[in-house]
Amino acid sequence: MGFIIEKQMVFLGLVVLFPLLCTSMNTFTSSRATYYGSHDGYGTSSGACGFGEYGRTVNYGNVAGVSRLYRNGTGCGACYQVRCTNPQYCTRGGVNIVVTDYGEGDRTDFILSTKAYTKLAKPNLAQELLAHGVVDVEYKRISCKYYGYNLMFKVHEHSRYPEYLAIIILYAAGQNDITAVELGQEDDDEWRPMRRAWGAVFDMPNPPEGSIDLKFQVKGSNGHDWVQSNNAIPSNWKAGGVYDSTIQLN
């Protein structure tokens, strides 16, 4: 059964405390990357994926906006290793990032947060790399692993109980895309599809009363699978509430 984290600040603190760990066997693709500035180097809470504060602080703020990798929002939450190809300034390992936004640059696939961009650089060379503005990179998709987290979702602040329900998908581990979400109830064989409103946000007007079950269509290396979370949303759900699906993806 899903549960609610009542204090949003507790949830956001956990986001910062548990960074992303990633592994993969994919090959690298050549591209370019730039960065956007913020007062603290983190991401933005107004990103096109709809993540809000999670999109600013997840993975210690090592996040990025992407263009073609956004894939109409399906690419939100995907993880990539990005490394600069200039051996004079850049480390070989680069940085692991989470996609939290859409953005187009000068023939770039990635617009990195400042924190992520400076992690491309060798020690004491971050300012020199920032001065370049745009750098050649190579990247590959990697698996996301979040210690201490199942697949979770947040009831979007725009939700209005009981007339309108929108949820944001959080902590989708592995190399998985959430391609669809359906809503149902116990002892009811009918599943109703939610609409992908934008980014990682799925919504439905006039949701059913009572506790709600959710099914997530997950696209991974083994194709498409449906996973189900029973009583995922309680009957007295609230905008801003964060719930645990109890589903573990890998």
Side-chain angles (χ1 to χ4, degrees), residues 7-205:
K7 300 296 185 181
Q8 187 66 14
M9 290 306 296
V10 173
F11 167 71
L12 295 176
L14 289 174
V15 170
V16 176
L17 289 174
F18 289 89
L20 173 77
L21 298 181
C22 308
T23 57
S24 178
M25 296 297 290
N26 294 342
T27 58
F28 284 91
T29 300
S30 297
S31 185
R32 284 154 57 89
T34 185
Y35 68 95
Y36 59 89
S38 64
H39 71 282
D40 55 6
Y42 283 82
T44 173
S45 60
S46 59
C49 290
F51 287 138
E53 187 68 10
Y54 169 92
R56 202 180 79 83
T57 56
V58 69
N59 196 31
Y60 291 119
N62 295 314
V63 298
V66 294
S67 51
R68 63 189 180 90
L69 297 174
Y70 183 75
R71 294 179 284 127
N72 294 320
T74 304
C76 290
C79 303
Y80 294 89
Q81 180 185 359
V82 182
R83 61 190 189 189
C84 169
T85 57
N86 185 328
Q88 179 179 356
Y89 296 101
C90 301
T91 66
R92 187 60 183 162
V95 63
N96 296 342
I97 62 93
V98 184
V99 173
T100 59
D101 200 358
Y102 175 88
E104 296 183 7
D106 179 12
R107 294 178 287 117
T108 60
D109 278 309
F110 296 91
I111 303 179
L112 303 170
S113 66
T114 306
K115 288 179 69 70
Y117 190 86
T118 55
K119 286 193 174 180
L120 298 174
K122 290 180 177 179
N124 303 316
L125 293 180
Q127 292 303 314
E128 285 82 351
L129 195 64
L130 287 168
H132 278 71
V134 180
V135 292
D136 292 326
V137 298
E138 54 186 13
Y139 70 90
K140 65 179 179 179
R141 182 146 184 198
I142 55 179
S143 293
C144 310
K145 293 189 180 298
Y146 300 97
Y147 284 127
Y149 289 99
N150 299 316
L151 179 70
M152 299 181 72
F153 56 91
K154 176 183 175 182
V155 177
H156 197 280
E157 286 84 353
H158 291 170
S159 299
R160 301 182 305 276
Y161 180 86
E163 294 88 4
Y164 173 73
L165 173 64
I167 64 172
I168 313 162
I169 307 299
L170 309 175
Y171 298 115
Q175 293 190 44
N176 297 303
D177 297 329
I178 306 297
T179 55
V181 180
E182 292 186 351
L183 178 155
Q185 291 184 295
E186 188 178 3
D187 301 325
D188 186 352
D189 294 332
E190 181 182 1
W191 288 90
R192 299 167 57 187
M194 301 187 78
R195 177 183 70 118
R196 184 185 290 275
W198 73 93
V201 180
F202 293 81
D203 70 353
M204 175 179 288

Side-chain angles (χ1 to χ4, degrees), residues 1 161 183-186 208-214 229-237:
M1 179 173 179
Y161 180 86
L183 178 155
Q185 291 184 295
E186 188 178 3
E209 297 180 1
S211 62
I212 296 171
D213 301 339
L214 292 177
S229 178
N230 296 325
N231 301 318
I233 304 177
S235 57
N236 61 341
W237 57 265

